[in-house]
Amino acid sequence: MHEVLEFIWQRLETQQALLAQTPEAMVVLIDEAVARVLARIAKGRQFGARLLELEAQRLHNRVQQWLEEERKREPFSVVLQEKTLPLELEGLRLTLRMDRVDCLADGKTLAVIDYKTGNSHIKSWQWPRIDEPQIPLYATALPGVGAAVFAQVSTQKMQYMGLSAMPLLFSELTDVANHKDWPASFAEVLEQWHTHLQA
């Protein structure tokens, strides 16, 4: 799923380009992405043709559904995908691999996005024990981050979940100021993440 979406956004780059695609063109693009990814996965393995056909159908349908969610968003461009980022945290050397970073409509605010094919919840980012530290790590490692996002690409429900400093740029997310379980501002969330990740 990650690889298929990565291929598609390498081609499109912006939501504007996505919106400009005809339904027929999108079918062709998704099919190409799925075929390339499955060919790589199947290389040297004994997968039956029917299994690959079913997986191609599954991937195509889920990606097509997900891109409908992407169409509903405020304008954005995809600036990073599957990017590795070295980070030193209290003497611990880490190599982060970010699924995706979008630049929002103001041209400067970044949204750090982690794809999830299962169920997730932003409570997993809460301190003092941060159960899923990937997004907090990415958000505190990059300058200009104003949104922390799970992209749930799931058969149960397709949705964005997360926190934003500027909800007008990403209205699917919760404005931190209106969320009772979080500080009053996204800047304070970043500060708390930084403090507790170091601890």
Side-chain angles (χ1 to χ4, degrees):
M1 182 67 68
H2 286 216
E3 286 186 53
V4 171
L5 289 169
E6 181 186 9
F7 179 88
I8 288 169
W9 284 112
Q10 282 174 346
R11 290 288 184 87
L12 296 176
E13 297 183 347
T14 67
Q15 188 205 39
Q16 183 179 4
L18 171 65
L19 295 174
Q21 299 296 306
T22 65
E24 295 79 13
M26 282 310 304
V27 167
V28 171
L29 179 57
I30 296 169
D31 281 345
E32 182 183 358
V34 168
R36 283 177 178 243
V37 171
L38 290 183
R40 185 196 64 75
I41 291 170
K43 191 174 182 180
R45 296 183 177 146
Q46 297 297 317
F47 289 135
R50 181 60 179 151
L51 177 62
L52 291 172
E53 181 185 341
L54 289 170
E55 181 62 7
Q57 290 173 0
R58 185 190 74 88
L59 280 171
H60 184 106
N61 292 340
R62 195 181 292 189
V63 167
Q64 194 166 36
Q65 284 180 273
W66 176 250
L67 292 174
E68 289 305 312
E69 295 299 314
E70 302 268 33
R71 287 173 177 272
K72 298 174 190 175
R73 279 179 56 188
E74 288 73 22
F76 65 89
S77 57
V78 178
V79 293
L80 295 173
Q81 291 193 91
E82 302 299 330
K83 174 74 173 176
T84 56
L85 179 70
L87 176 69
E88 186 162 324
L89 189 69
E90 292 297 303
L92 183 65
R93 291 183 180 178
L94 305 174
T95 301
L96 310 180
R97 188 174 179 86
M98 295 176 283
D99 287 349
R100 181 168 141 192
V101 178
D102 287 0
C103 184
L104 303 182
D106 63 352
K108 58 184 180 180
T109 302
L110 299 181
V112 181
I113 299 174
D114 193 28
Y115 293 124
K116 294 291 182 184
T117 54
N119 292 325
S120 295
H121 199 281
I122 62 173
K123 286 182 179 178
S124 64
W125 298 336
Q126 286 186 315
W127 49 84
R129 181 180 175 85
I130 300 172
D131 292 326
E132 292 197 56
Q134 297 96 323
I135 285 288
L137 281 167
Y138 305 156
T140 54
L142 290 175
V145 173
V149 189
F150 279 141
Q152 187 174 320
V153 189
S154 166
T155 52
Q156 287 78 33
K157 190 167 185 181
M158 300 225 171
Q159 64 179 341
Y160 287 103
M161 294 179 290
L163 302 170
S164 174
M166 303 179 74
L168 292 177
L169 299 179
F170 207 138
S171 59
E172 291 84 354
L173 305 183
T174 305
D175 183 354
V176 177
N178 297 331
H179 204 298
K180 64 179 182 179
D181 298 327
W182 295 86
S185 72
F186 193 77
E188 289 178 77
V189 171
L190 291 175
E191 287 176 14
Q192 290 290 337
W193 278 343
H194 183 71
T195 297
H196 288 281
L197 287 167
Q198 286 184 315

